[in-house]
PDB file of all heavy atoms in Angstrom:
ATOM      1  N   LEU G 177      -2.205  14.360   2.669  1.00  0.00           N
ATOM      2  CA  LEU G 177      -1.902  13.901   1.320  1.00  0.00           C
ATOM      3  C   LEU G 177      -2.774  12.701   1.062  1.00  0.00           C
ATOM      4  O   LEU G 177      -2.785  11.695   1.830  1.00  0.00           O
ATOM      5  CB  LEU G 177      -0.437  13.529   1.246  1.00  0.00           C
ATOM      6  CG  LEU G 177       0.032  12.912  -0.101  1.00  0.00           C
ATOM      7  CD1 LEU G 177      -0.219  13.864  -1.250  1.00  0.00           C
ATOM      8  CD2 LEU G 177       1.464  12.490  -0.022  1.00  0.00           C
ATOM      9  N   CYS G 178      -3.559  12.724  -0.024  1.00  0.00           N
ATOM     10  CA  CYS G 178      -4.524  11.649  -0.347  1.00  0.00           C
ATOM     11  C   CYS G 178      -4.283  11.184  -1.773  1.00  0.00           C
ATOM     12  O   CYS G 178      -3.811  11.840  -2.603  1.00  0.00           O
ATOM     13  CB  CYS G 178      -5.964  12.164  -0.186  1.00  0.00           C
ATOM     14  SG  CYS G 178      -6.367  12.627   1.535  1.00  0.00           S
ATOM     15  N   GLU G 179      -4.838   9.988  -2.022  1.00  0.00           N
ATOM     16  CA  GLU G 179      -4.912   9.416  -3.351  1.00  0.00           C
ATOM     17  C   GLU G 179      -6.338   9.467  -3.796  1.00  0.00           C
ATOM     18  O   GLU G 179      -7.288   9.142  -3.098  1.00  0.00           O
ATOM     19  CB  GLU G 179      -4.441   7.968  -3.345  1.00  0.00           C
ATOM     20  CG  GLU G 179      -4.465   7.316  -4.727  1.00  0.00           C
ATOM     21  CD  GLU G 179      -4.075   5.866  -4.693  1.00  0.00           C
ATOM     22  OE1 GLU G 179      -4.725   5.088  -3.942  1.00  0.00           O
ATOM     23  OE2 GLU G 179      -3.072   5.471  -5.314  1.00  0.00           O
ATOM     24  N   VAL G 180      -6.577   9.957  -5.050  1.00  0.00           N
ATOM     25  CA  VAL G 180      -7.934  10.012  -5.548  1.00  0.00           C
ATOM     26  C   VAL G 180      -8.414   8.650  -5.870  1.00  0.00           C
ATOM     27  O   VAL G 180      -7.826   7.834  -6.590  1.00  0.00           O
ATOM     28  CB  VAL G 180      -7.949  10.888  -6.888  1.00  0.00           C
ATOM     29  CG1 VAL G 180      -9.392  10.904  -7.454  1.00  0.00           C
ATOM     30  CG2 VAL G 180      -7.480  12.300  -6.571  1.00  0.00           C
ATOM     31  N   GLN G 181      -9.568   8.313  -5.279  1.00  0.00           N
ATOM     32  CA  GLN G 181     -10.184   6.979  -5.469  1.00  0.00           C
ATOM     33  C   GLN G 181     -11.282   7.019  -6.510  1.00  0.00           C
ATOM     34  O   GLN G 181     -11.524   6.030  -7.216  1.00  0.00           O
ATOM     35  CB  GLN G 181     -10.868   6.523  -4.149  1.00  0.00           C
ATOM     36  CG  GLN G 181      -9.888   6.415  -2.979  1.00  0.00           C
ATOM     37  CD  GLN G 181      -8.958   5.225  -3.090  1.00  0.00           C
ATOM     38  OE1 GLN G 181      -9.387   4.126  -3.141  1.00  0.00           O
ATOM     39  NE2 GLN G 181      -7.669   5.492  -3.188  1.00  0.00           N
ATOM     40  N   LYS G 182     -11.964   8.162  -6.701  1.00  0.00           N
ATOM     41  CA  LYS G 182     -13.043   8.233  -7.624  1.00  0.00           C
ATOM     42  C   LYS G 182     -13.341   9.707  -7.975  1.00  0.00           C
ATOM     43  O   LYS G 182     -13.249  10.540  -7.064  1.00  0.00           O
ATOM     44  CB  LYS G 182     -14.323   7.608  -7.040  1.00  0.00           C
ATOM     45  CG  LYS G 182     -15.484   7.393  -8.030  1.00  0.00           C
ATOM     46  CD  LYS G 182     -16.626   6.634  -7.265  1.00  0.00           C
ATOM     47  CE  LYS G 182     -17.759   6.432  -8.177  1.00  0.00           C
ATOM     48  NZ  LYS G 182     -18.910   5.711  -7.443  1.00  0.00           N
ATOM     49  N   VAL G 183     -13.714   9.933  -9.201  1.00  0.00           N
ATOM     50  CA  VAL G 183     -14.039  11.275  -9.638  1.00  0.00           C
ATOM     51  C   VAL G 183     -15.404  11.224 -10.474  1.00  0.00           C
ATOM     52  O   VAL G 183     -15.464  10.423 -11.410  1.00  0.00           O
ATOM     53  CB  VAL G 183     -13.027  11.902 -10.601  1.00  0.00           C
ATOM     54  CG1 VAL G 183     -13.418  13.315 -10.974  1.00  0.00           C
ATOM     55  CG2 VAL G 183     -11.631  11.902  -9.922  1.00  0.00           C
ATOM     56  N   ASN G 184     -16.418  11.948  -9.968  1.00  0.00           N
ATOM     57  CA  ASN G 184     -17.702  12.043 -10.681  1.00  0.00           C
ATOM     58  C   ASN G 184     -17.903  13.436 -11.138  1.00  0.00           C
ATOM     59  O   ASN G 184     -17.754  14.396 -10.359  1.00  0.00           O
ATOM     60  CB  ASN G 184     -18.861  11.611  -9.802  1.00  0.00           C
ATOM     61  CG  ASN G 184     -18.838  10.129  -9.518  1.00  0.00           C
ATOM     62  OD1 ASN G 184     -18.340   9.316 -10.215  1.00  0.00           O
ATOM     63  ND2 ASN G 184     -19.426   9.748  -8.378  1.00  0.00           N
ATOM     64  N   ILE G 185     -18.182  13.624 -12.453  1.00  0.00           N
ATOM     65  CA  ILE G 185     -18.410  14.945 -13.006  1.00  0.00           C
ATOM     66  C   ILE G 185     -19.887  15.116 -13.359  1.00  0.00           C
ATOM     67  O   ILE G 185     -20.515  14.220 -14.030  1.00  0.00           O
ATOM     68  CB  ILE G 185     -17.589  15.182 -14.299  1.00  0.00           C
ATOM     69  CG1 ILE G 185     -16.071  15.080 -13.903  1.00  0.00           C
ATOM     70  CG2 ILE G 185     -17.858  16.556 -14.914  1.00  0.00           C
ATOM     71  CD1 ILE G 185     -15.140  15.160 -15.103  1.00  0.00           C
ATOM     72  N   TYR G 186     -20.494  16.165 -12.850  1.00  0.00           N
ATOM     73  CA  TYR G 186     -21.922  16.460 -13.070  1.00  0.00           C
ATOM     74  C   TYR G 186     -22.022  17.801 -13.815  1.00  0.00           C
ATOM     75  O   TYR G 186     -21.835  18.861 -13.188  1.00  0.00           O
ATOM     76  CB  TYR G 186     -22.674  16.486 -11.735  1.00  0.00           C
ATOM     77  CG  TYR G 186     -22.584  15.248 -10.952  1.00  0.00           C
ATOM     78  CD1 TYR G 186     -21.594  15.144  -9.956  1.00  0.00           C
ATOM     79  CD2 TYR G 186     -23.411  14.183 -11.158  1.00  0.00           C
ATOM     80  CE1 TYR G 186     -21.525  13.956  -9.169  1.00  0.00           C
ATOM     81  CE2 TYR G 186     -23.325  13.028 -10.412  1.00  0.00           C
ATOM     82  CZ  TYR G 186     -22.395  12.900  -9.442  1.00  0.00           C
ATOM     83  OH  TYR G 186     -22.272  11.744  -8.685  1.00  0.00           O
ATOM     84  N   PRO G 187     -22.356  17.762 -15.083  1.00  0.00           N
ATOM     85  CA  PRO G 187     -22.586  19.065 -15.823  1.00  0.00           C
ATOM     86  C   PRO G 187     -23.740  19.854 -15.259  1.00  0.00           C
ATOM     87  O   PRO G 187     -24.708  19.272 -14.840  1.00  0.00           O
ATOM     88  CB  PRO G 187     -22.838  18.564 -17.277  1.00  0.00           C
ATOM     89  CG  PRO G 187     -22.332  17.181 -17.335  1.00  0.00           C
ATOM     90  CD  PRO G 187     -22.525  16.615 -15.945  1.00  0.00           C
ATOM     91  N   GLY G 188     -23.605  21.144 -15.318  1.00  0.00           N
ATOM     92  CA  GLY G 188     -24.668  22.030 -14.828  1.00  0.00           C
ATOM     93  C   GLY G 188     -25.760  22.223 -15.864  1.00  0.00           C
ATOM     94  O   GLY G 188     -25.716  21.744 -16.991  1.00  0.00           O
ATOM     95  N   SER G 189     -26.752  23.057 -15.475  1.00  0.00           N
ATOM     96  CA  SER G 189     -27.893  23.316 -16.358  1.00  0.00           C
ATOM     97  C   SER G 189     -28.405  24.697 -16.025  1.00  0.00           C
ATOM     98  O   SER G 189     -28.763  25.007 -14.910  1.00  0.00           O
ATOM     99  CB  SER G 189     -28.982  22.246 -16.164  1.00  0.00           C
ATOM    100  OG  SER G 189     -30.165  22.698 -16.807  1.00  0.00           O
ATOM    101  N   GLY G 190     -28.414  25.569 -17.039  1.00  0.00           N
ATOM    102  CA  GLY G 190     -28.939  26.923 -16.852  1.00  0.00           C
ATOM    103  C   GLY G 190     -30.401  26.874 -16.640  1.00  0.00           C
ATOM    104  O   GLY G 190     -30.977  27.654 -15.826  1.00  0.00           O
ATOM    105  N   ARG G 191     -31.110  26.010 -17.346  1.00  0.00           N
ATOM    106  CA  ARG G 191     -32.537  25.876 -17.201  1.00  0.00           C
ATOM    107  C   ARG G 191     -32.926  25.438 -15.809  1.00  0.00           C
ATOM    108  O   ARG G 191     -33.914  25.958 -15.239  1.00  0.00           O
ATOM    109  CB  ARG G 191     -33.092  24.866 -18.267  1.00  0.00           C
ATOM    110  CG  ARG G 191     -34.641  24.743 -18.234  1.00  0.00           C
ATOM    111  CD  ARG G 191     -35.100  23.656 -19.164  1.00  0.00           C
ATOM    112  NE  ARG G 191     -34.491  22.358 -18.835  1.00  0.00           N
ATOM    113  CZ  ARG G 191     -34.650  21.245 -19.573  1.00  0.00           C
ATOM    114  NH1 ARG G 191     -35.269  21.322 -20.768  1.00  0.00           N
ATOM    115  NH2 ARG G 191     -34.161  20.112 -19.189  1.00  0.00           N
ATOM    116  N   ASP G 192     -32.184  24.483 -15.287  1.00  0.00           N
ATOM    117  CA  ASP G 192     -32.483  23.967 -13.928  1.00  0.00           C
ATOM    118  C   ASP G 192     -31.791  24.739 -12.797  1.00  0.00           C
ATOM    119  O   ASP G 192     -31.852  24.353 -11.626  1.00  0.00           O
ATOM    120  CB  ASP G 192     -32.182  22.483 -13.829  1.00  0.00           C
ATOM    121  CG  ASP G 192     -32.953  21.632 -14.812  1.00  0.00           C
ATOM    122  OD1 ASP G 192     -34.115  22.076 -15.127  1.00  0.00           O
ATOM    123  OD2 ASP G 192     -32.467  20.593 -15.238  1.00  0.00           O
ATOM    124  N   LYS G 193     -30.987  25.767 -13.270  1.00  0.00           N
ATOM    125  CA  LYS G 193     -30.259  26.608 -12.279  1.00  0.00           C
ATOM    126  C   LYS G 193     -29.348  25.695 -11.396  1.00  0.00           C
ATOM    127  O   LYS G 193     -29.291  25.785 -10.196  1.00  0.00           O
ATOM    128  CB  LYS G 193     -31.230  27.378 -11.410  1.00  0.00           C
ATOM    129  CG  LYS G 193     -32.003  28.413 -12.157  1.00  0.00           C
ATOM    130  CD  LYS G 193     -32.914  29.189 -11.273  1.00  0.00           C
ATOM    131  CE  LYS G 193     -33.779  30.209 -12.063  1.00  0.00           C
ATOM    132  NZ  LYS G 193     -34.698  30.950 -11.189  1.00  0.00           N
ATOM    133  N   ARG G 194     -28.612  24.851 -12.080  1.00  0.00           N
ATOM    134  CA  ARG G 194     -27.671  23.881 -11.428  1.00  0.00           C
ATOM    135  C   ARG G 194     -26.307  24.135 -11.855  1.00  0.00           C
ATOM    136  O   ARG G 194     -26.066  24.115 -13.076  1.00  0.00           O
ATOM    137  CB  ARG G 194     -28.192  22.415 -11.693  1.00  0.00           C
ATOM    138  CG  ARG G 194     -27.344  21.405 -10.944  1.00  0.00           C
ATOM    139  CD  ARG G 194     -27.788  19.990 -11.256  1.00  0.00           C
ATOM    140  NE  ARG G 194     -27.554  19.619 -12.640  1.00  0.00           N
ATOM    141  CZ  ARG G 194     -28.469  19.327 -13.542  1.00  0.00           C
ATOM    142  NH1 ARG G 194     -29.771  19.455 -13.202  1.00  0.00           N
ATOM    143  NH2 ARG G 194     -28.171  19.003 -14.787  1.00  0.00           N
ATOM    144  N   ASN G 195     -25.408  24.327 -10.948  1.00  0.00           N
ATOM    145  CA  ASN G 195     -23.978  24.638 -11.360  1.00  0.00           C
ATOM    146  C   ASN G 195     -23.250  23.321 -11.684  1.00  0.00           C
ATOM    147  O   ASN G 195     -23.595  22.232 -11.187  1.00  0.00           O
ATOM    148  CB  ASN G 195     -23.245  25.236 -10.144  1.00  0.00           C
ATOM    149  CG  ASN G 195     -23.726  26.675  -9.903  1.00  0.00           C
ATOM    150  OD1 ASN G 195     -24.061  27.378 -10.839  1.00  0.00           O
ATOM    151  ND2 ASN G 195     -23.739  27.110  -8.624  1.00  0.00           N
ATOM    152  N   ASP G 196     -22.169  23.460 -12.481  1.00  0.00           N
ATOM    153  CA  ASP G 196     -21.314  22.324 -12.750  1.00  0.00           C
ATOM    154  C   ASP G 196     -20.667  21.958 -11.420  1.00  0.00           C
ATOM    155  O   ASP G 196     -20.342  22.846 -10.568  1.00  0.00           O
ATOM    156  CB  ASP G 196     -20.187  22.717 -13.719  1.00  0.00           C
ATOM    157  CG  ASP G 196     -20.729  23.156 -15.081  1.00  0.00           C
ATOM    158  OD1 ASP G 196     -21.581  22.409 -15.597  1.00  0.00           O
ATOM    159  OD2 ASP G 196     -20.326  24.201 -15.547  1.00  0.00           O
ATOM    160  N   ARG G 197     -20.382  20.653 -11.287  1.00  0.00           N
ATOM    161  CA  ARG G 197     -19.661  20.283 -10.035  1.00  0.00           C
ATOM    162  C   ARG G 197     -18.930  18.937 -10.277  1.00  0.00           C
ATOM    163  O   ARG G 197     -19.266  18.202 -11.171  1.00  0.00           O
ATOM    164  CB  ARG G 197     -20.568  20.113  -8.867  1.00  0.00           C
ATOM    165  CG  ARG G 197     -21.563  18.953  -8.914  1.00  0.00           C
ATOM    166  CD  ARG G 197     -22.494  18.975  -7.667  1.00  0.00           C
ATOM    167  NE  ARG G 197     -23.189  17.759  -7.455  1.00  0.00           N
ATOM    168  CZ  ARG G 197     -24.300  17.480  -8.110  1.00  0.00           C
ATOM    169  NH1 ARG G 197     -24.829  18.266  -8.981  1.00  0.00           N
ATOM    170  NH2 ARG G 197     -24.890  16.261  -7.860  1.00  0.00           N
TER     171      ARG G 197
END
Side-chain angles (χ1 to χ4, degrees):
L177 177 61
C178 295
E179 181 184 57
V180 177
Q181 301 288 299
K182 188 177 180 182
V183 181
N184 290 335
I185 299 177
Y186 301 95
S189 169
R191 182 183 62 185
D192 297 332
K193 298 181 180 179
R194 184 179 66 244
N195 291 327
D196 300 312
R197 71 183 192 277

